Amino acid sequence: MLRRSPTRVLAPLSTEWSGRPSVSVKHQPPSSLRFLSTSRCLAELNHKPISFVRWKAIPHLRQPSLRSHARAIQDAAKIPKKRGRVVRFFYRFFAYTGFFILFSGGLVVAFFAFDASTYREDLSLSDIPVSLSALEPRRGGPKNLPIAEVLVDDDDCEAMQKQKNKPKLVILGSGWGSVALLKTLNPDDYHVTIVSPVNYFLFTPMLPSATVGTLELRSLVEPIRRIAQKVRGHFMKAEAVGVEFSERLLEIRQKDANGIDQHFYLPYDKLVIGVGSTTNPHGVKGLENCCFLKSVEDARYIRNKLCLNLEQACLPTTSDEERRRLLSFVISGGGPTGVEFAAELFDMLNEDLGRSFPKILRNEISVHVIQSRGHILNTYDEALSKYAEARFAHDQVEVLTNSRVKEVLPDKIIFTQKGENGETVTKELPHGFCLWSTGVSQTDFCKTVSDSIPTQTNKHALETDTHLRLNGTPLGSVYAIGDCSTVQNNVADNLMHFLSRLAYEKGKDPKTMQISFSEWRSVAKEVKKRFPQAADHLRRLDRLFEEYDKDHNGTLDFGEMHELLAQIDNRLTSLPATAQRAHQQGQYLGKKLSKLAAAAPGMLANEIFDGDLDAAVYKAFEYHHLGSLAYVGNAAVFDINGLSFSGGLLAVYLWRSVYFAQSVSLRTRILLAMDWSKRALFGRDIMDF
């Protein structure tokens, strides 16, 4: 039986000489021959030398096509045997190494080629039109100051020229809220101007790491002008000192080349106040002897102060008592900032001090945390607070709870502490360094704004409604976000106005009106719409209605309704003064301002100029707490949506990953990764500069 295949050749059943004469290719092959695959022939050839094969037994191999198959068989027979494992390993190792060297070399060459392309030898000078109004602004306003109606870079390019006549949006501050607003805002909707005394954004959560050299300060900042380029915004390094709400003029102050204060007005259509806050002194004396941690300057001063204390402690003229005082570090405040700074400080003293300084310094160092509450990190889950305290106890960081500072002197701190029996004891603690980190307070600008508005009664922050509009100002013209503001709830008062209007529409007296359950559902819907934070307290409307229907008549009168809403108002707490809150408010405001700009042509066509336009185009602000985390010294704690967990180095890497992802640019992410790698390879740099 013959089998046919285009890749097979005719071969004898045996490689011995058969003695048969040659057969023509056209003739039918004899029955003693059969088709074998190339692999079969090769297998047979492996058993006998190639010279023993009688090719005359395969007459059709004389044709050219079959001769090529024969040559292939001969070549295959000459293939050497497989190499050993060691030989194959080194062969592959050197091959992969060569490829890696070639690839790395290509990257290096490509980088230098790119670097060479970034240098310019041609002059970038060109004639740029500048408006005369920008160079010589007209004067006006209550104080007859120059009014910057046109800026010097309004005509830099065609895109800038298109924005000259857009609504003027002025943003005060360059913090979390302002940057989130700039990143969310549509580029072509507004003529944007940022006013801030600093020209960078500071990543504040990682600031404690920069005080001890774990991170460099440059890794935590991003130029605000680079962020503003997305919306083709303008920047002024200046300070706001006042607002004329009736004329929509913002008073700006900046020093000239001679150090003299220069004042001018900056007009606005919409003003966003995001100037942040300052540290709360709580009426304690001697805070001039403390350090603060709010800015780059504060972090640099702390780093230099720590290095100075360590260097002075090494001098032969320093007594033992003075050395112990210099090496006593006190942190007043057991919140996230104080706890993370204490952890970073201990890590630096424990891991890097012995490499370069006398070992006696490590034995005499002491770190103390003074907390007014019963636990540090009191806003976290209690289990996390106890874990942090246990971690500090293991690291010999003293935690003094139920203690309040009375006065800070240059060489010691005086505080009171409650004993186990409730008695108050006054104590003293020598210190060479004291950090004050106890809450936030209003800036001078916010105090000026608050004093100019009679309805602003909060002494700690500017009050806004749920649309982040500053209370007491023209509706939809001034907003406040971040630490400088607080959302005023007043659910009861606002809803009672709503109920009064509802009663008058029905021709009833509000004080005698009875509200049924169906009407109560309508009221609850209005509450959720105006105050999204109250939604969690309105899940079971039937239970609330039954609880406050004291006479059990199936209705709520005016007094019962007021009591119910007042109870909800009391349950609502102020929003936390955190970066994530400011970030969410900035994103919300950016989306809403873009919605307002998109709806403006339609409103103009329908001649709608007044009213609650914000509520018409966008919902009220709703804060979503994403969780809290803190570093506690080669360990970290997490409190995320009721899920609390803590751990060692794996938790630290997760903590770093969260902040790494929240960084504002690729540049800062690369710098953060380089700083962490540098700390692992070379340690922290303990030096002042």
Side-chain angles (χ1 to χ4, degrees):
M1 190 70 178
L2 297 177
R3 291 178 297 175
R4 300 182 180 275
S5 173
T7 60
R8 297 179 181 182
V9 298
L10 187 65
L13 290 174
S14 173
T15 56
E16 297 292 337
W17 170 248
S18 61
R20 295 177 64 89
S22 299
V23 182
S24 175
V25 177
K26 296 181 180 179
H27 294 169
Q28 182 70 18
S31 58
S32 60
L33 299 179
R34 64 173 178 174
F35 285 99
L36 298 179
S37 65
T38 304
S39 58
R40 175 69 178 272
C41 291
L42 182 61
E44 292 189 10
L45 290 175
N46 286 336
H47 290 81
K48 288 194 174 184
I50 193 69
S51 59
F52 291 160
V53 179
R54 306 298 184 180
W55 296 110
K56 290 185 178 180
I58 314 177
H60 25 306
L61 288 180
R62 296 174 182 176
Q63 295 189 10
S65 60
L66 296 181
R67 289 172 183 173
S68 62
H69 285 283
R71 284 195 297 269
I73 294 174
Q74 290 177 345
D75 293 339
K78 297 178 182 179
I79 296 177
K81 296 182 179 181
K82 293 184 178 180
R83 301 182 180 91
R85 292 185 177 180
V86 176
V87 176
R88 290 200 307 271
F89 170 78
F90 281 103
Y91 178 81
R92 293 174 181 174
F93 172 77
F94 286 114
Y96 292 150
T97 304
F99 284 130
F100 175 76
I101 293 175
L102 291 176
F103 180 75
S104 301
L107 290 179
V108 172
V109 172
F111 173 78
F112 279 105
F114 170 76
D115 181 70
S117 67
T118 60
Y119 297 97
R120 295 185 59 179
E121 295 186 2
D122 58 312
L123 298 179
S124 58
L125 300 177
S126 61
D127 294 333
I128 300 175
V130 179
S131 174
L132 186 62
S133 299
L135 301 177
E136 298 178 1
R138 70 176 182 88
R139 289 182 172 268
K143 297 182 180 180
N144 195 29
L145 298 175
I147 303 177
E149 297 173 317
V150 182
L151 304 181
V152 293
D153 53 348
D154 275 340
D155 298 302
D156 276 2
C157 61
E158 185 178 353
M160 289 285 196
Q161 293 174 356
K162 291 181 180 179
Q163 291 185 322
K164 288 177 62 175
N165 299 323
K166 294 291 180 70
K168 296 183 182 298
L169 172 62
V170 177
I171 303 173
L172 299 182
S174 57
W176 282 92
S178 302
V179 169
L181 170 59
L182 290 171
K183 286 192 165 187
T184 312
L185 197 67
N186 288 336
D188 300 324
D189 291 341
Y190 294 91
H191 179 277
V192 182
T193 304
I194 303 101
V195 179
S196 175
V198 296
N199 58 359
Y200 55 82
F201 162 77
L202 175 62
F203 195 84
T204 51
M206 301 297 291
L207 203 54
S209 299
T211 60
V212 297
T214 304
L215 299 176
E216 296 298 331
L217 289 171
R218 191 169 295 277
S219 304
L220 305 181
V221 296
E222 181 73 9
I224 195 66
R225 289 184 180 271
R226 185 176 298 171
I227 299 174
Q229 287 177 356
K230 177 181 179 296
V231 294
R232 290 184 284 274
H234 312 265
F235 175 77
M236 291 185 180
K237 188 176 181 181
E239 183 181 5
V241 295
V243 185
E244 298 294 338
F245 296 107
S246 59
E247 301 186 32
R248 298 195 177 189
L249 294 175
L250 176 69
E251 185 178 352
I252 305 294
R253 178 181 63 195
Q254 179 58 294
K255 295 183 181 296
D256 60 10
N258 299 321
I260 302 175
D261 287 339
Q262 299 291 337
H263 293 250
F264 61 92
Y265 284 129
L266 183 64
Y268 68 87
D269 294 304
K270 292 187 180 295
L271 174 65
V272 179
I273 302 176
V275 295
S277 59
T278 60
T279 305
N280 194 341
H282 292 288
V284 177
K285 299 179 182 179
L287 292 188
E288 63 273 8
N289 300 313
C290 296
C291 297
F292 305 95
L293 191 53
K294 297 287 288 184
S295 64
V296 169
E297 291 76 14
D298 294 337
R300 183 179 290 112
Y301 178 80
I302 290 174
R303 185 170 180 176
N304 292 339
K305 176 65 175 176
L306 295 177
C307 293
L308 179 62
N309 283 16
L310 295 176
E311 296 293 349
Q312 289 180 345
C314 297
L315 297 178
T317 56
T318 303
S319 62
D320 291 341
E321 181 179 359
E322 178 66 9
R323 184 182 298 109
R324 285 192 291 270
R325 184 191 71 81
L326 289 171
L327 300 178
S328 174
F329 304 95
V330 179
I331 296 94
S332 180
T337 301
V339 168
E340 290 186 347
F341 174 77
E344 291 281 359
L345 177 62
F346 174 80
D347 289 345
M348 185 267 287
L349 298 175
N350 186 56
E351 297 171 0
D352 300 278
L353 189 66
R355 299 179 181 179
S356 307
F357 286 82
K359 298 187 181 301
I360 189 176
L361 269 63
R362 177 63 188 89
N363 296 336
E364 295 187 350
I365 282 174
S366 61
V367 181
H368 316 269
V369 179
I370 298 178
Q371 167 69 338
S372 60
R373 304 293 181 89
H375 295 281
I376 58 175
L377 299 177
N378 60 289
T379 59
Y380 290 52
D381 185 78
E382 185 177 357
L384 297 181
S385 298
K386 292 182 178 180
Y387 176 84
E389 291 173 357
R391 186 77 189 186
F392 277 174
H394 173 269
D395 294 339
Q396 297 181 352
V397 175
E398 185 181 17
V399 178
L400 302 170
T401 57
N402 297 317
S403 304
R404 291 186 176 275
V405 177
K406 294 179 60 178
E407 186 177 2
V408 181
L409 300 175
D411 58 345
K412 62 183 177 181
I413 185 170
I414 302 174
F415 64 98
T416 59
Q417 186 177 31
K418 287 185 178 181
E420 296 180 356
N421 300 325
E423 73 280 4
T424 302
V425 182
T426 302
K427 297 182 179 181
E428 294 182 356
L429 185 64
H431 74 84
F433 170 87
C434 179
L435 175 70
W436 188 263
S437 176
T438 57
V440 296
S441 182
Q442 279 186 322
T443 62
D444 293 337
F445 173 75
C446 290
K447 291 179 181 178
T448 302
V449 171
S450 180
D451 293 341
S452 63
I453 303 175
T455 57
Q456 290 286 336
T457 57
N458 194 319
K459 299 300 181 183
H460 301 287
L462 297 175
E463 294 180 340
T464 69
D465 62 6
T466 54
H467 283 272
L468 306 184
R469 296 171 296 195
L470 186 63
N471 292 340
T473 60
L475 199 62
S477 62
V478 183
Y479 302 85
I481 58 177
D483 296 352
C484 68
S485 65
T486 181
V487 178
Q488 186 184 41
N489 296 314
N490 288 342
V491 177
D493 294 340
N494 284 277
L495 266 295
M496 294 321 294
H497 289 299
F498 168 75
L499 292 175
S500 298
R501 188 175 71 252
L502 183 65
Y504 289 133
E505 290 176 356
K506 295 183 177 182
K508 299 179 181 179
D509 185 2
K511 295 183 179 180
T512 60
M513 184 180 70
Q514 299 290 324
I515 300 174
S516 64
F517 182 73
S518 60
E519 291 175 332
W520 157 238
R521 295 183 65 176
S522 300
V523 172
K525 184 178 180 180
E526 183 70 16
V527 172
K528 293 179 182 179
K529 180 180 178 182
R530 295 191 181 188
F531 306 95
Q533 302 300 326
D536 293 337
H537 305 285
L538 294 171
R539 292 180 178 177
R540 294 302 302 270
L541 299 179
D542 52 348
R543 290 184 180 180
L544 287 172
F545 189 88
E546 182 180 354
E547 180 181 355
Y548 286 90
D549 184 16
K550 297 181 179 180
D551 51 7
H552 303 288
N553 62 351
T555 60
L556 296 178
D557 57 27
F558 194 84
E560 291 171 340
M561 177 60 69
H562 188 277
E563 184 179 355
L564 188 156
L565 296 176
Q567 184 66 21
I568 295 176
D569 204 355
N570 292 332
R571 293 177 183 176
L572 296 180
T573 58
S574 299
L575 298 180
T578 58
Q580 63 171 300
R581 174 251 184 135
H583 183 76
Q584 290 184 28
Q585 287 182 331
Q587 286 183 324
Y588 163 83
L589 194 55
K591 294 177 182 178
K592 183 168 71 172
L593 291 177
S594 298
K595 290 278 188 179
L596 287 171
M603 293 181 180
L604 182 61
N606 292 281
E607 298 182 354
I608 301 176
F609 305 104
D610 300 319
D612 195 350
L613 303 181
D614 291 67
V617 301
Y618 209 61
K619 59 184 179 180
F621 172 71
E622 182 178 2
Y623 172 70
H624 299 279
H625 186 62
L626 303 179
S628 304
L629 59 161
Y631 177 76
V632 291
N634 293 334
V637 295
F638 297 82
D639 188 3
I640 302 175
N641 294 331
L643 177 63
S644 303
F645 61 95
S646 55
L649 288 179
L650 290 179
V652 172
Y653 293 138
L654 179 59
W655 173 78
R656 288 182 179 179
S657 300
V658 172
Y659 285 142
F660 182 84
Q662 290 181 346
S663 190
V664 295
S665 67
L666 176 63
R667 167 189 165 275
T668 54
R669 292 189 183 98
I670 293 175
L671 292 177
L672 285 175
M674 292 173 62
D675 286 345
W676 283 324
S677 302
K678 184 183 66 175
R679 186 216 66 82
L681 294 174
F682 309 109
R684 300 173 180 86
D685 296 329
I686 307 179
M687 59 182 180
D688 52 355
F689 58 91

